[in-house]
Amino acid sequence: MRTTFDALIIGAGPAGSTAAILLALAGWSVALVEKQRFPRRKVCGECIAPSALPLFAALGIEQDLTLRAGPHLRRLALMRGSDRVVSDFPVAPDSDYYWGRAVGRETLDTLLADQAHKVGVQLLQPCAVLGLLGGPGAWRCDIRDLNTSATQTLRARVAIAAHGSWEALPSVPPQPRRPRRPSDLLAFKANFTGASLEEGLLPVLLFDGGYGGMVVAEGGVTTMAGCLRRDKLDVLRRENPGASAGECLEAMLRGQCSGVGETLNTASRQGAWIGAGPINPGIRLSSGDGLLRVGNAAGEAHPIIGEGISMAVQSAWLLCVQLLSVDTSPDRETVGEAWQRLVARRYAREWRLHFVPRIRLASAFAHASMHARSSALLLALAKRWPAFLPLGSRWAGKIRCAIDPAEVARLAQQRSDYEAL
Ligand SMILES: Cc1cc2nc3c(=O)[nH]c(=O)nc-3n(C[C@H](O)[C@H](O)[C@H](O)COP(=O)(O)OP(=O)(O)OC[C@H]3O[C@@H](n4cnc5c(N)ncnc54)[C@H](O)[C@@H]3O)c2cc1C
């Protein structure tokens, strides 16, 4: 098996698989290392913003995605207690993709990783990264195959961190464990059958100590996901002895939020709640270790705006545009440290331009949503000023894609040429 690559990518979430597909189609040799077996459930609200849909089409997974995704998401609601306000989503400029859709992460991530494999990426899964040494131009990565326990060393000129935000990579010197904080936001998700959520509606749930959302995803299954402060969870646990953390959240929402109570009245949960976190919103683009970061590894918006998948794909694309823009082949000596520093600088400039404003907006919205007074104010504002929610969706980036449509069309062509070979 090949062990030396142009690029090594750690993590096969939407960011890592996107980068892998783009580089492989451009002729790079790519290793994509993923520690989990797919398909796997993942804590996520599973809404795909319209801005990401043309990118998925160009990457070659549109047909399967469209077949499986839930209905077009045309309307957005804010719900708090018995109060609610509903508004239309703004319509995206691309007439093929006016509205977002929702699809299970077990499906989306598997489709993308399979596509990466099909276009020639060496998918190493399930494989754990044991250590990452070296730097731009000469990376060395030790991995362990989790099926056989065999270890091997991979070498690459470029290394891309796409491992999300929940764990550090082994290359980073072990940090002292961050102490638990009452304000930690823990994340949860569950699926329900038989729920009665209005077709095409995406309710955002505001409650003391957290926020969440519901959506109809593939097969008519309703996904509920949300974040809850640790101190609020402790209170709920005392009120619901023996219940899991997710069950505590569900009981609270069924009781306190009439929209949830009505939606889940006739529903049954499919499997257990899954949990993760604490989540880690913020910007960590330049960590000084020479790794190029994409997706949540580079920066993360509070999930209340449901933009993480789209940002992951767009950030990977922005990086690859820079990696592929220089007139050089990846196996030349030029793909060394100085060249990668230049790529990193150009990528960082683009990344900040497109993502910093929405990360800040998401943070302000999330914090306002978790407190009684400010969330009541949000609802009042949305009622008095009908443009508030559509405008907020636009500012959150729902319908604006950072990637030049000509780039997207070029990639789609490159992929169909590859498939025709
Ligand atoms: C409660 C909640 C609701 C959300 N709702 C939405 C929503 O509705 N819409 C939306 O767009 N976004 C949503 N998000 C955000 C979205 O889930 C993330 O932004 C997105 O998954 C980021 O993609 P990524 O590829 O960067 O990372 P991930 O999807 O986290 O993928 C990282 C991958 O790397 C692998 N990995 C990690 N470490 C290693 C290692 N050492 N070696 C090998 N592999 C490794 C992991 O197994 C994983 O598969 C939500 C998030 C939460 C918490």
Side-chain angles (χ1 to χ4, degrees):
M1 194 201 82
R2 178 177 193 144
T3 54
T4 301
F5 298 88
D6 298 324
L8 164 79
I9 302 175
I10 303 171
S17 289
T18 298
I21 295 169
L22 293 175
L23 294 178
L25 284 173
W28 287 38
S29 58
V30 182
L32 178 60
V33 184
E34 167 58 53
K35 66 178 184 183
Q36 292 193 30
R37 290 178 180 84
F38 286 179
R40 55 98 175 81
R41 294 175 73 204
K42 183 169 174 76
V43 178
C44 182
E46 306 183 329
C47 299
I48 304 177
S51 55
L53 292 172
L55 305 183
F56 286 135
L59 290 167
I61 64 161
E62 179 181 31
Q63 216 176 354
D64 290 315
L65 197 66
T66 310
L67 269 178
R68 297 189 185 193
H72 294 285
L73 298 170
R74 294 169 192 247
R75 303 205 306 150
L76 166 71
L78 286 189
M79 294 183 175
R80 181 184 167 88
S82 57
D83 210 0
R84 75 178 70 185
V85 55
V86 182
S87 176
D88 287 341
F89 263 120
V91 173
D94 188 333
S95 58
D96 288 333
Y97 310 103
Y98 277 154
W99 293 284
R101 310 280 295 267
V103 72
R105 288 297 296 271
E106 51 275 43
T107 297
L108 176 68
D109 293 20
T110 308
L111 286 175
L112 283 169
D114 285 353
Q115 180 67 355
H117 180 62
K118 271 190 217 150
V119 299
V121 171
Q122 180 133 359
L123 181 58
L124 296 146
Q125 181 182 30
C127 278
V129 172
L130 303 176
L132 185 61
L133 295 170
W139 289 99
R140 187 199 132 119
C141 179
D142 295 325
I143 61 169
R144 170 176 289 130
D145 184 317
L146 297 176
N147 283 332
T148 62
S149 293
T151 57
Q152 65 176 315
T153 300
L154 309 177
R155 291 173 201 279
R157 289 175 184 266
V158 172
I160 298 176
H163 59 292
S165 53
W166 294 338
E167 298 163 59
L169 284 178
S171 61
V172 177
Q175 304 282 323
R177 223 181 141 77
R178 205 183 82 174
R180 289 167 158 239
R181 290 194 296 224
S183 60
D184 283 343
L185 271 183
L186 306 169
F188 303 97
K189 167 179 119 167
N191 294 333
F192 296 86
T193 50
S196 56
L197 187 58
E198 184 189 314
E199 172 141 344
L201 181 68
L202 168 51
V204 175
L205 313 170
L206 317 182
F207 48 88
D208 291 350
Y211 53 78
M214 295 186 288
V215 73
V216 179
E218 59 190 293
V221 167
T222 295
T223 293
M224 183 189 276
C227 294
L228 183 65
R229 279 176 58 115
R230 194 188 291 282
D231 52 359
K232 176 76 180 175
L233 176 61
D234 291 341
V235 173
L236 293 177
R237 278 188 192 280
R238 285 196 288 276
E239 291 170 1
N240 300 274
S244 71
E247 287 165 349
C248 291
L249 175 65
E250 181 183 334
M252 187 268 287
L253 285 172
R254 278 181 186 262
Q256 289 184 9
C257 180
S258 58
V260 175
E262 287 156 20
T263 302
L264 298 187
N265 193 19
T266 52
S268 14
R269 200 174 65 233
Q270 236 187 6
W273 278 87
I274 53 173
I279 64 164
N280 198 6
I283 298 170
R284 42 195 161 258
L285 185 58
S286 321
S287 298
D289 53 11
L291 280 167
L292 297 166
R293 289 177 153 71
V294 290
N296 275 16
E300 178 178 2
H302 269 274
I304 193 165
I305 62 167
E307 270 294 292
I309 297 170
S310 185
M311 282 172 58
V313 174
Q314 291 180 57
S315 65
W317 206 300
L318 286 175
L319 174 64
C320 292
V321 167
Q322 293 304 332
L323 283 170
L324 300 172
S325 68
V326 181
D327 182 23
T328 180
S329 115
D331 53 354
R332 287 217 204 121
E333 283 309 309
T334 40
V335 185
E337 199 177 346
W339 178 77
Q340 289 196 40
R341 266 208 305 270
L342 177 71
V343 164
R345 261 203 315 277
R346 289 179 178 169
Y347 164 60
R349 198 170 52 222
E350 289 285 310
W351 193 96
R352 288 180 198 284
L353 178 73
H354 293 287
F355 302 133
V356 169
R358 69 179 90 170
I359 288 177
R360 295 213 171 117
L361 175 80
S363 174
F365 184 29
H367 286 102
S369 301
M370 291 189 277
H371 300 282
R373 272 203 201 151
S374 43
S375 62
L377 201 68
L378 283 177
L379 268 139
L381 207 59
K383 279 182 186 165
R384 286 193 69 125
W385 184 30
F388 178 71
L389 287 181
L391 211 59
S393 306
R394 278 176 193 275
W395 288 340
K398 287 266 169 257
I399 60 171
R400 193 185 60 235
C401 183
I403 315 304
D404 180 352
E407 263 312 319
V408 180
R410 198 187 53 74
L411 186 273
Q413 185 59 49
Q414 205 173 26
R415 183 182 50 76
S416 56
D417 292 349
Y418 179 91
E419 284 167 358
L421 279 179

